[in-house]
Amino acid sequence: MLHTSDWHLGRSFGQVSLAADQAAFVDWLVDVVGQESIDLVVVAGDLYDRAIPPTESVNLLRHALTGIVGAGAKVVAIAGNHDSPDRVAAADGLTDAAGVIIRGGFARAGETVTLEFSDGPLDVVAVPYLDPVMAPNQPVHRRRAPDLPLLPDHDAPAQLAFDLGVSAAATRDEPDPDDAPRRPTHQTVLKAALHRRVGAPRSVAVAHAFVAGAIESDSERALAVGTSPRVATTTFDGFSYVALGHLHRPQLVGADPTRRYCGSPLPYSFSETHAKHVVIVDVDPTGRCTTTEIPVPVGRPVVTLTGTIDDLLMSPRHAHAEHHFVRAVLTDPSHVLDAKARLLHRYRFVTEIVLQPPAGPDTVADPAPAAARSRLSPLDAATSFWSDVTNRPPTHAEREMLHELLDAALAEATP
């Protein structure tokens, strides 16, 4: 099995399109599937970068799925928080027979699909990103999807209501007025989706979530505002392997190599200086796993360079960054004119400029809070602005020049 996630097809880095790098990754991935004799590829969410992806991104996903199946593997892919669950799941059920199982939204989240391979069956439980706000308000009863065998679970309730707002008694069609509704959370909806038991000796959970203890990057969109987006690691107990998506930094959960984020295949922020890879997982017939990380050889690295404009333009120390995405932190003591245009002569992919003059005895503190600046005289306001931009107060001659210019401007504005 090959674990990948967070493709974000259609994304740009600053103003630079990543379409060519993403297409190169897809072609490389298809080659790996064939060379490594992969049986199953799982894509753990964020197939696209936005809910309504551009046409070229839709075509690239189709190319990826076609290539993977053509190389001899099945696919399980889920929607992430960047995806539209309805659009991702539009072909839900139609492509299953072709070996492409795609899930989005609550409708079939957590269904156990048993895939047959030459060394035995594998139970796959796919849980796309589930927004608690969109959780259904009533139990979603277990049903058998066409051509998708579900394991018998006769002694369990139909299914725990996703929002947990329906009591356990209600799932048995028994009124219970003492059970108060509870507000759904990321934890409760994910736990409810994973409520079904698996029966094969080996099983895989595919989920898009933020597991407690994991480390974020700067490029992930927050899963929640005002409530905790985290879910407990124990939520995934009982699975042979847990293929996670959402976080772009490759990492294990709880130091367990069978519960991991494989990370995004390309860097999407300057915090992602770590190596990118996909994970090959060998799950033997008893459920025991061994994992191998395969580095992704495509994509443009990111780097943050710090120094004066002259240092960044001239020093041979920075030659390695000439073809990277570059964030330039300029430490010149005064404002640098046309910094980006000048740096582009050496670094074709500089996308961010940060002015960070060194603090020192000549550093000028803000003379007044923003609310008080409106009460400054025109000359004091101009002097304050000059100090903010140049990181030093104006000289006597410069202050006189500002005074003359303001007098002339005020005289011209006076009727």
Side-chain angles (χ1 to χ4, degrees), residues 197-245:
R197 295 183 298 176
V198 293
R202 55 183 180 172
S203 57
V204 171
V206 185
H208 194 85
F210 186 1
V211 180
I215 301 173
E216 299 173 88
S217 301
D218 292 341
S219 54
E220 294 115 8
R221 181 187 297 168
L223 291 184
V225 177
T227 60
S228 174
R230 292 170 174 79
V231 299
T233 58
T234 55
T235 306
F236 300 98
D237 286 352
F239 290 93
S240 304
Y241 183 81
V242 180
L244 294 167

Side-chain angles (χ1 to χ4, degrees), residues 8 51 55 69 101 166 176 184 203 224 242 249 253 304 331 333 336 340 342 345 372:
H8 288 276
T55 301
V69 172
I101 298 164
V166 180
D176 189 349
S203 57
V242 180
R249 181 188 302 273
V253 175
T304 298
T331 60
V336 180
K340 187 171 184 179
R342 294 165 67 183
H345 287 292

Side-chain angles (χ1 to χ4, degrees), residues 282-375:
D282 182 14
V283 189
D284 73 16
T286 67
R288 184 175 179 180
C289 295
T290 57
T291 59
T292 306
E293 298 173 358
I294 306 294
V296 177
V298 302
R300 194 175 303 282
V302 299
V303 66
T304 298
L305 302 179
T306 302
T308 64
I309 185 71
D310 290 337
D311 174 58
L312 268 55
L313 287 173
M314 304 300 295
S315 174
R317 295 184 298 110
H318 306 308
H320 69 284
E322 291 176 358
H323 300 287
H324 289 32
F325 285 115
V326 172
R327 173 172 57 188
V329 180
L330 299 180
T331 60
D332 297 78
S334 59
H335 184 69
V336 180
L337 295 176
D338 299 324
K340 187 171 184 179
R342 294 165 67 183
L343 289 168
L344 281 170
H345 287 292
R346 183 175 187 184
Y347 310 103
R348 290 181 54 205
F349 300 98
V350 59
T351 63
E352 186 175 333
I353 306 293
V354 178
L355 301 179
Q356 194 175 87
D362 295 330
T363 300
V364 178
D366 189 352
R373 284 198 173 196
S374 61
R375 298 193 294 270

Side-chain angles (χ1 to χ4, degrees), residues 60-396:
L60 183 55
L61 180 62
R62 177 185 177 88
H63 173 66
L65 299 177
T66 302
I68 292 169
V69 172
K74 294 180 172 65
V75 181
V76 173
I78 60 174
N81 60 302
H82 279 248
D83 299 309
S84 163
D86 294 334
R87 286 183 171 85
V88 167
D92 186 356
L94 299 176
T95 59
D96 290 10
V100 179
I101 298 164
I102 301 181
R103 300 290 183 259
F106 283 86
R108 299 176 69 180
E111 280 188 350
T112 300
V113 179
T114 302
L115 302 176
E116 295 291 343
F117 297 104
S118 59
D119 58 349
L122 173 71
D123 283 344
V124 179
V125 179
V127 185
Y129 169 68
L130 301 176
D131 187 343
V133 175
M134 303 302 293
N137 292 321
Q138 63 280 328
V140 180
H141 291 284
R142 172 182 285 277
R143 60 183 174 84
R144 181 185 178 90
D147 301 323
L148 282 179
L150 291 177
L151 298 174
D153 196 7
H154 303 298
D155 58 341
Q159 182 178 329
L160 188 64
F162 276 105
D163 68 350
L164 300 185
V166 180
S167 69
T171 65
R172 299 189 299 270
D173 298 323
E174 299 173 7
D176 189 349
D178 294 329
D179 282 330
R182 286 177 282 174
R183 182 180 181 183
T185 66
H186 287 271
Q187 172 69 35
T188 58
V189 295
L190 185 57
K191 184 176 180 180
L194 292 169
H195 189 61
R196 296 190 179 99
R197 295 183 298 176
V198 293
R202 55 183 180 172
S203 57
V204 171
V206 185
H208 194 85
F210 186 1
V211 180
I215 301 173
E216 299 173 88
S217 301
D218 292 341
S219 54
E220 294 115 8
R221 181 187 297 168
L223 291 184
V225 177
T227 60
S228 174
R230 292 170 174 79
V231 299
T233 58
T234 55
T235 306
F236 300 98
D237 286 352
F239 290 93
S240 304
Y241 183 81
V242 180
L244 294 167
H246 176 56
L247 299 183
H248 296 173
R249 181 188 302 273
Q251 56 194 291
L252 308 182
V253 175
D256 184 347
T258 68
R259 301 181 182 192
R260 68 164 72 205
Y261 291 93
C262 63
S264 60
L266 302 174
Y268 295 129
S269 70
F270 284 107
S271 66
E272 296 172 56
T273 56
H274 43 268
K276 297 293 187 177
H277 62 243
V278 298
V279 181
I280 293 181
V281 187
D282 182 14
V283 189
D284 73 16
T286 67
R288 184 175 179 180
C289 295
T290 57
T291 59
T292 306
E293 298 173 358
I294 306 294
V296 177
V298 302
R300 194 175 303 282
V302 299
V303 66
T304 298
L305 302 179
T306 302
T308 64
I309 185 71
D310 290 337
D311 174 58
L312 268 55
L313 287 173
M314 304 300 295
S315 174
R317 295 184 298 110
H318 306 308
H320 69 284
E322 291 176 358
H323 300 287
H324 289 32
F325 285 115
V326 172
R327 173 172 57 188
V329 180
L330 299 180
T331 60
D332 297 78
S334 59
H335 184 69
V336 180
L337 295 176
D338 299 324
K340 187 171 184 179
R342 294 165 67 183
L343 289 168
L344 281 170
H345 287 292
R346 183 175 187 184
Y347 310 103
R348 290 181 54 205
F349 300 98
V350 59
T351 63
E352 186 175 333
I353 306 293
V354 178
L355 301 179
Q356 194 175 87
D362 295 330
T363 300
V364 178
D366 189 352
R373 284 198 173 196
S374 61
R375 298 193 294 270
L376 294 175
S377 69
L379 180 59
D380 286 341
T383 300
S384 177
F385 177 75
W386 182 287
S387 300
D388 288 345
V389 171
T390 65
N391 201 40
R392 63 172 178 82
T395 64
H396 177 73

